[in-house]
Amino acid sequence: MTVEPRRRNDPARRQRIVDATLIVIERHGVAGTTHRRIAEAAAVPLGSVTYYFVTLEDLLTTAFLQLATTSSGAFAARLDAATTRCEAIEGVIDIIAGSVWADPRTLLLSYELYAYAARHPDVTTVMQHWMDNSRAALGRFFDPVTARALDALVEGIGIHNSIDTAPLDRDAIRVIIDRITGDA
Amino acid sequence: MTVEPRRRNDPARRQRIVDATLIVIERHGVAGTTHRRIAEAAAVPLGSVTYYFVTLEDLLTTAFLQLATTSSGAFAARLDAATTRCEAIEGVIDIIAGSVWADPRTLLLSYELYAYAARHPDVTTVMQHWMDNSRAALGRFFDPVTARALDALVEGIGIHNSIDTAPLDRDAIRVIIDRITGDA
Amino acid sequence: MTVEPRRRNDPARRQRIVDATLIVIERHGVAGTTHRRIAEAAAVPLGSVTYYFVTLEDLLTTAFLQLATTSSGAFAARLDAATTRCEAIEGVIDIIAGSVWADPRTLLLSYELYAYAARHPDVTTVMQHWMDNSRAALGRFFDPVTARALDALVEGIGIHNSIDTAPLDRDAIRVIIDRITGDA
Amino acid sequence: MTVEPRRRNDPARRQRIVDATLIVIERHGVAGTTHRRIAEAAAVPLGSVTYYFVTLEDLLTTAFLQLATTSSGAFAARLDAATTRCEAIEGVIDIIAGSVWADPRTLLLSYELYAYAARHPDVTTVMQHWMDNSRAALGRFFDPVTARALDALVEGIGIHNSIDTAPLDRDAIRVIIDRITGDA
DNA sequence: GATGAATGAGGGTTCATTCAT
DNA sequence: GATGAATGAACCCTCATTCAT
C-alpha cells in the first residue's frame, strides 16, 4: 500500500547516469551524446543529469575515466590470475580473443575514448596510467620491450579483429605471441 | 583594373571542402564538426557545403573514405618501394616510427574514423579494403600470419606511441619486428 | 492569387526586432526580456532574433542606444524649434509636462536604460553624449550652469511626475524654471 | 572544544538575506538576481531563502521597500538636523553632492527600484510615501512648490552626476539652489 | 523549524537544412 | 549553377520552487 515516494538521495543514481552515458556513447557516439538521451537511458529526469554533473563535459570525462579504469582493471585481473609465463601467455590470448577486453563494445568505446582524450589532457594522463598498469602486469612475466610489444599487439589485433570479417583465431594469435616472447 | 571576381565554378572547390572537413574533425572532433566551421576552414561560402554534399553525413563519409584511401595508399607506397625483405622491414619501421602513417594527425583522425565506421557500414567496408591492401603489400615479403601481425603492430604501437610520454624508438621497434618475422 | 512568399531579405525586419525589444522591456523589464517574447512581439520566427543579433545583450544594447538617440533627438528637436529664450522656456515646459520626453513609456524605459548602462560602459558613453546634446541645445539660450540645472530638472520632475499621484502642472513648472533662469 | 555549530534560529538571518539581495541587485541587476546568488551573498543555505520568502518576488519587494525606507530616512535625517533655512540648504547640497543619497550604489539601486516599482503597484505606493516624506522634510523650510523643485533637483542632479564625467560641484549646486529658493 | 536534493520549465544559443534569388 | 538569408528543432544549462528529511 505504500506509494513509491519520489526517491530522494538515491545513492545509485549518479552511478546510473555514468553507466547510461557509456551506453549512449556506444550507441550514438560522443557526437550524439546529449543530456536528454542520457537521462532517458538512465531513466532519470533531465534535471538530474546537470544536477550531478555540472557540465556535459564533466560527465563525459567521468564516464571515460571509469571506462579506462574498468578496462585496465580487467586486463590486470586476467594477468594477475596467471602464475607462470605460460599461463600469462594464455591470459594475453584470452584478452585479445576473448571478451576480457576486446569485445566490440569496449573497442568502440575506446575509439571514442582515444579521440576524446586527444583533446582532454586529464584523460590522456589517465590513459598513460592505464598503459603503465598493463605493462606492469605484463612485466611480471616479460622483459620491458616484450611487454610493450604484447601490449601494442593487444591493441592492434583487437582493433583489426573488430573490423575484420575473418578475425585471427586463438591459434594464429598464439603463434605470433610465441614469436614475440621467444617461446616458439 | 579587374577586381578579382568571386571565383566561379571553382573545380577544386569540392576537394577543398573535403580537405577542410578533415581539418575540422582533427581540430574539433566529429562532435564539433559543423557546416559553418567547414565552410570557414575551406574559405568557401556556407551554401557551397550543402551544395556539394546533400548532407553533413555525406560529407563526413566522403572525408573519411578519402582518409582511409590516402592512409592506405601511403602505407602501400612505402612498402612498394622495398625490393627485399630487409628493406620491407625498414619500411615497416618507417611507417610506425616515422610520419608515413603514425603522425599524430592521422592517428587522431583514425580514432574518429574507427568510431564513425562502427556506425556506418559503408565506411567499415572501405576500412576492410584498407586492411586488405596493407596485408597484400606486406604479403609480398611475409607469410599471411606474419603480415597480419605486423599490420596489427603498426596499429597498436602507433596508438600507444601517440599517447606514451616515452614512445618506443626505432631500435626497440626493430627488435620486436625481427622477432615476429623470425629474422632475429 | 499570389501566395504571400516566405519573406526573404525583409529589410525592415531588423528594425522591427529592435522596436519589439523596447516594447518587451517596457512590458516585462530587462529581467523578463527573452528571445521568445521578442520574437513574438516582432511577429518574427525565433531564429530570426539570433540571426540578426548574435547575442541578446547585443540586441539590448542596440535597443537602448536607439532609445537614447531617439529621446535625445526629440529633446533637441523641440528646443531647436525655439528662436527666443522665451520660446525655449516654453519648450522645456513642453518637454517636462508634455509627451516630448516625459511620457510614462520613455521614463520607464529610461530607468531600465540607466540600470543597464551602469553595467555596460559603451551604453554609458552614449548616455554622456545624450546629456551633452541636451545641454548644447539648452546652451543656445542659457549659460552652462543654468543649462545643467534645467537638464537635471527635466530628469527629476519627469521621474517624480511619473510616480506622483498629483504631478506638477505647467504653471508650477514655469514658476520653477523662471526662478532658475532668473526670468522671474 | 566546541565546534561552532551551524547557527540555529539565527534571528538576524532574515535581515541578512534582504541585505544580500540588495547587494546582488546592485552587482547583477534584477535580471541577474537569483536565489543561489542571494544565498551565497548572505552566506546562508539555499533553502533558507525560500524558507523566509515564499517567492523571489516577495524578497525583491521586501528589499526594495527597505531601500526606499532607508533612503527616505537618510534624506529626512539630514534635513531634520537643520534648524535654519540656511542650514537646510546646506543639507540639500550635502544630499546631492555627498554620500547621503547620491552615492553610486544607491543611485544604481534606485534605477532598478523605479523600474521594478513601475510593475509593482505596492512598491509604487511606498515610493509615493517616500516622496511625500522628502517633501515634508523640505516643507519645514520651503513652500510646497520650492520643496518639490528641490526634491526633483536632488533626483535629477544625482542621476546626471552619476553618469557625468564632470559632475557639478558644490558651488554650482549652491548657485542653482539659491536661485530656486530665491536666496540668491 | 531548516535544509539541500531534486525537478521540469524555460532560458540563450547553435545548427543542419531549405530555398528565393 | 551558387549563395546566404532564414528557420525551427534541439542543444546545454540555469533556475525558482518543492518537499522528504
Side-chain angles (χ1 to χ4, degrees):
Chain A
M1 262 302 294
T2 58
V3 175
E4 173 67 13
R6 199 116 59 88
R7 192 80 51 104
R8 296 264 156 186
N9 218 339
D10 177 350
R13 175 167 289 193
R14 200 188 134 93
Q15 183 54 47
R16 227 167 54 235
I17 291 173
V18 175
D19 294 339
T21 302
L22 289 174
I23 290 173
V24 173
I25 294 173
E26 182 196 351
R27 219 175 285 169
H28 301 280
V30 167
T33 298
T34 70
H35 279 118
R36 280 160 184 78
R37 286 214 246 245
I38 293 167
E40 199 196 339
V44 142
L46 176 58
S48 255
V49 181
T50 48
Y51 177 73
Y52 283 101
F53 299 90
V54 182
T55 280
L56 186 58
E57 200 153 324
D58 279 359
L59 176 49
L60 286 171
T61 297
T62 303
F64 276 131
L65 293 187
Q66 168 175 309
L67 172 70
T69 305
T70 306
S71 297
S72 175
F75 188 109
R78 180 62 191 83
L79 281 186
D80 285 351
T83 54
T84 67
R85 186 179 171 95
C86 188
E87 283 174 21
I89 289 175
E90 219 52 37
V92 173
I93 296 174
D94 277 357
I95 290 169
I96 295 178
S99 56
V100 172
W101 182 79
D103 66 303
R105 174 177 194 256
T106 306
L107 273 166
L108 172 47
L109 283 175
S110 73
Y111 309 148
E112 301 275 1
L113 166 56
Y114 296 152
Y116 188 83
R119 277 179 279 271
H120 294 83
D122 43 342
V123 178
T124 310
T125 305
V126 171
M127 288 186 57
Q128 175 75 47
H129 290 323
W130 176 5
M131 292 195 313
D132 291 346
N133 286 342
S134 301
R135 288 166 195 169
L138 290 164
R140 283 180 55 223
F141 305 98
F142 309 102
D143 69 277
V145 167
T146 302
R148 292 188 67 158
L150 290 176
D151 197 29
L153 205 73
V154 168
E155 186 85 49
I157 298 185
I159 289 178
H160 286 184
N161 271 5
S162 77
I163 294 162
D164 215 313
T165 51
L168 283 177
D169 58 25
R170 293 182 66 93
D171 287 340
I173 294 170
R174 178 174 291 109
V175 168
I176 296 167
I177 293 178
D178 283 347
R179 285 199 215 148
I180 290 178
T181 58
D183 295 5
Chain B
M1 261 304 291
T2 59
V3 175
E4 172 68 11
R6 209 102 63 78
R7 188 118 14 138
R8 299 199 164 259
N9 220 334
D10 178 347
R13 175 166 289 191
R14 200 189 131 94
Q15 183 54 46
R16 227 168 53 234
I17 292 172
V18 175
D19 294 340
T21 302
L22 289 174
I23 290 173
V24 172
I25 295 173
E26 182 197 351
R27 220 175 283 170
H28 301 280
V30 168
T33 298
T34 69
H35 279 119
R36 278 163 184 76
R37 286 214 244 246
I38 292 167
E40 197 196 340
V44 141
L46 175 59
S48 259
V49 181
T50 48
Y51 178 72
Y52 284 102
F53 300 90
V54 182
T55 280
L56 186 58
E57 201 154 323
D58 280 358
L59 176 48
L60 285 170
T61 297
T62 304
F64 276 130
L65 292 186
Q66 169 176 307
L67 172 70
T69 306
T70 306
S71 296
S72 177
F75 188 110
R78 180 62 191 83
L79 281 185
D80 285 351
T83 54
T84 67
R85 183 181 173 96
C86 188
E87 283 174 19
I89 289 175
E90 220 53 37
V92 173
I93 295 174
D94 277 358
I95 290 169
I96 294 178
S99 56
V100 172
W101 181 80
D103 66 303
R105 175 179 193 254
T106 307
L107 272 167
L108 173 47
L109 283 174
S110 74
Y111 308 147
E112 302 275 1
L113 165 56
Y114 296 154
Y116 188 84
R119 276 178 283 270
H120 293 84
D122 44 342
V123 178
T124 310
T125 305
V126 172
M127 286 186 58
Q128 175 73 47
H129 290 322
W130 175 5
M131 292 195 312
D132 290 346
N133 285 344
S134 301
R135 288 166 194 167
L138 290 163
R140 283 180 54 224
F141 306 98
F142 309 102
D143 69 277
V145 167
T146 303
R148 292 187 69 157
L150 290 176
D151 198 28
L153 206 72
V154 167
E155 186 84 50
I157 298 184
I159 289 177
H160 286 186
N161 272 5
S162 77
I163 294 163
D164 215 312
T165 51
L168 284 176
D169 58 25
R170 294 182 66 92
D171 287 340
I173 295 170
R174 177 175 291 108
V175 168
I176 297 167
I177 293 177
D178 283 347
R179 285 200 215 148
I180 290 177
T181 58
D183 295 4
Chain C
M1 261 306 293
T2 58
V3 176
E4 172 69 11
R6 199 114 58 89
R7 190 82 50 106
R8 297 265 155 186
N9 219 341
D10 176 352
R13 174 166 290 192
R14 201 187 133 94
Q15 184 54 49
R16 228 168 51 235
I17 291 172
V18 175
D19 294 340
T21 301
L22 289 173
I23 290 173
V24 173
I25 295 173
E26 184 196 350
R27 218 174 286 169
H28 301 280
V30 167
T33 298
T34 70
H35 279 117
R36 282 159 183 80
R37 284 214 246 246
I38 291 167
E40 199 196 338
V44 142
L46 175 57
S48 255
V49 182
T50 47
Y51 178 73
Y52 283 101
F53 299 90
V54 182
T55 281
L56 185 58
E57 199 154 322
D58 279 358
L59 175 49
L60 286 170
T61 297
T62 304
F64 276 130
L65 293 187
Q66 169 176 305
L67 172 70
T69 306
T70 306
S71 296
S72 177
F75 188 110
R78 179 62 190 84
L79 281 187
D80 284 352
T83 53
T84 66
R85 186 180 173 96
C86 189
E87 283 174 21
I89 289 176
E90 218 53 37
V92 173
I93 296 173
D94 277 357
I95 289 168
I96 295 178
S99 57
V100 172
W101 181 80
D103 67 302
R105 174 177 195 257
T106 306
L107 273 167
L108 172 47
L109 283 174
S110 73
Y111 309 147
E112 302 276 0
L113 166 56
Y114 296 152
Y116 187 83
R119 276 179 281 270
H120 294 85
D122 44 341
V123 177
T124 309
T125 305
V126 172
M127 288 186 56
Q128 173 76 48
H129 289 323
W130 175 5
M131 292 195 314
D132 291 345
N133 285 344
S134 300
R135 289 167 195 168
L138 290 163
R140 284 179 55 223
F141 305 97
F142 309 103
D143 70 277
V145 167
T146 302
R148 291 187 70 156
L150 289 175
D151 197 27
L153 205 73
V154 167
E155 186 85 50
I157 298 185
I159 289 178
H160 286 184
N161 272 5
S162 77
I163 294 164
D164 216 312
T165 51
L168 283 176
D169 60 24
R170 295 182 66 93
D171 287 342
I173 295 169
R174 177 174 291 109
V175 168
I176 297 167
I177 293 178
D178 283 347
R179 286 202 215 145
I180 290 177
T181 58
D183 295 5
Chain D
M1 258 304 293
T2 59
V3 175
E4 172 68 12
R6 206 103 64 80
R7 189 123 8 146
R8 298 198 166 261
N9 221 333
D10 178 348
R13 175 166 290 191
R14 200 188 131 93
Q15 183 54 47
R16 226 165 58 232
I17 291 172
V18 175
D19 294 339
T21 301
L22 289 174
I23 290 173
V24 172
I25 295 173
E26 183 196 351
R27 221 175 282 169
H28 300 281
V30 168
T33 298
T34 69
H35 280 118
R36 278 164 184 74
R37 285 214 246 247
I38 292 166
E40 197 196 340
V44 141
L46 176 58
S48 259
V49 181
T50 48
Y51 178 72
Y52 284 101
F53 299 91
V54 183
T55 281
L56 186 58
E57 200 154 323
D58 280 357
L59 176 48
L60 285 170
T61 298
T62 303
F64 276 131
L65 292 187
Q66 168 176 308
L67 171 71
T69 305
T70 306
S71 295
S72 176
F75 188 110
R78 180 64 190 82
L79 281 187
D80 284 352
T83 53
T84 67
R85 185 181 172 95
C86 188
E87 284 174 20
I89 289 176
E90 218 53 37
V92 173
I93 296 174
D94 277 356
I95 290 168
I96 295 178
S99 56
V100 172
W101 182 79
D103 66 304
R105 174 177 194 256
T106 306
L107 272 167
L108 173 47
L109 283 174
S110 73
Y111 308 147
E112 301 275 1
L113 165 57
Y114 296 153
Y116 188 84
R119 277 178 282 271
H120 293 83
D122 44 343
V123 178
T124 310
T125 304
V126 171
M127 287 186 58
Q128 175 73 48
H129 290 322
W130 175 7
M131 292 195 313
D132 290 346
N133 284 344
S134 301
R135 289 166 195 168
L138 289 163
R140 285 179 53 223
F141 306 97
F142 309 103
D143 69 276
V145 167
T146 303
R148 291 187 69 158
L150 290 176
D151 197 27
L153 206 72
V154 168
E155 186 84 50
I157 298 185
I159 289 177
H160 285 186
N161 272 5
S162 77
I163 294 164
D164 214 311
T165 51
L168 283 177
D169 60 25
R170 293 182 66 93
D171 287 341
I173 294 170
R174 176 174 292 109
V175 168
I176 297 168
I177 292 178
D178 283 346
R179 286 201 214 145
I180 290 178
T181 57
D183 296 4

